[in-house]
Amino acid sequence: MTILEVAGGTGIGGIALSKNLLSKGFKVRLIITDLRPKALEKAKEFSRDELGFEAETYVIDAREIHKLGIKADIILMYGNSHPTFSTFDMAKFILSSKLSLNSGGSLIIQGHNMFYDYIITSGYKEILPERVRKDKILLSIHEGYDEYRGMFKRLYIDLISGRKAEIELKYWDFGELIGLCKIFFSNVDLKMVGGHRGFVICSNLIEDVTSILT
């Protein structure tokens, strides 16, 4: 089984999946991609410790994984990476995944219905305490909204260290993810795991996307 984890960071999702498959007797090739070289170095060390072999790693944008020329059995996005993708970015990622899968392969996106939790249930907050500890007081503050890309802009400030970071977020719901996946896959399922979190599982590649109109 060839597993390609995108936006994988230290590889927690891909390594856990590989470990499970190895226990069932499969041979596994694990590839982990991310834009952060330091995180991928940790992924190599983590995979050696947990799997007994070192994962292949590549610094590459998730929207361009097809450029690696790898054909995977499973492409995995794990760790709630989807909020950093605009609708257009997500469509490009799913298309890139389609081009990177074997004919019987699957795309798995682990996600969170942020729209329901943060817009409907909690109500959107202009100022939100994200984390409060003795050594860290982290606030996020609304900075704006990009109408064209559908992205909220928030400024994150640590009041203890003074560090700041600007982040763009999209508050996805599962219906949006499923709708995009349905353009490229005929089978799209949703497995909920509690707390409005779940896995979107896509299989059966659609070669001719115009077939969704019939």
Side-chain angles (χ1 to χ4, degrees):
M1 296 286 285
T2 298
I3 300 169
L4 172 56
E5 183 177 11
V6 299
T10 58
I12 292 173
I15 290 170
L17 178 57
S18 297
K19 195 169 185 177
N20 182 271
L21 289 171
L22 287 167
S23 72
K24 298 181 185 301
F26 287 91
K27 293 181 179 179
V28 174
R29 178 190 179 193
L30 175 61
I31 303 106
I32 302 171
T33 69
D34 202 276
L35 290 175
R36 299 163 293 174
K38 288 184 178 180
L40 292 176
E41 285 301 316
K42 292 182 180 179
K44 288 181 179 180
E45 180 181 350
F46 188 26
S47 61
R48 285 197 303 267
D49 292 342
E50 293 294 322
L51 304 176
F53 64 87
E54 188 174 283
E56 300 172 43
T57 61
Y58 297 93
V59 177
I60 190 169
D61 193 304
R63 298 168 298 180
E64 299 181 339
I65 54 171
H66 62 282
K67 294 181 179 180
L68 293 174
I70 293 170
K71 287 294 185 179
D73 297 296
I74 297 174
I75 294 178
L76 174 67
M77 177 182 280
Y78 185 86
N80 288 318
S81 299
H82 62 301
T84 60
F85 286 70
S86 70
T87 303
F88 182 60
D89 291 335
M90 183 59 71
K92 287 183 70 176
F93 160 65
I94 296 171
L95 175 56
S96 189
S97 296
K98 178 182 185 293
L99 297 173
S100 303
L101 280 170
N102 289 322
S103 59
S106 298
L107 168 65
I108 302 173
I109 303 173
Q110 183 262 324
H112 176 200
N113 190 336
M114 298 181 69
F115 178 79
Y116 191 89
D117 270 357
Y118 295 114
I119 305 297
I120 301 299
T121 302
S122 302
Y124 186 74
K125 302 293 193 299
E126 296 282 331
I127 301 175
L128 181 66
E130 299 280 355
R131 188 173 302 168
V132 179
R133 301 193 312 238
K134 289 183 179 180
D135 61 338
K136 182 185 285 289
I137 301 176
L138 182 64
L139 299 181
S140 69
I141 302 170
H142 176 76
E143 278 195 317
Y145 178 73
D146 186 328
E147 294 277 358
Y148 186 82
R149 297 173 62 241
M151 301 292 280
F152 288 85
K153 300 177 181 180
R154 294 190 71 88
L155 175 65
Y156 286 74
I157 305 174
D158 183 351
L159 299 183
I160 302 297
S161 67
R163 295 177 62 185
K164 300 178 182 179
E166 293 180 333
I167 297 178
E168 288 188 320
L169 296 169
K170 175 170 173 57
Y171 292 89
W172 288 94
D173 64 37
F174 284 119
E176 292 176 284
L177 287 173
I178 291 168
L180 287 176
C181 289
K182 276 285 192 180
I183 297 172
F184 304 104
F185 298 87
S186 61
N187 289 345
V188 181
D189 198 6
L190 174 62
K191 298 294 186 183
M192 300 299 295
V193 295
H196 303 295
R197 298 176 186 275
F199 292 83
V200 176
I201 303 170
C202 314
S203 60
N204 286 7
L205 294 166
I206 297 175
E207 297 302 328
D208 178 12
V209 294
T210 60
S211 65
I212 66 172
L213 301 176
T214 60

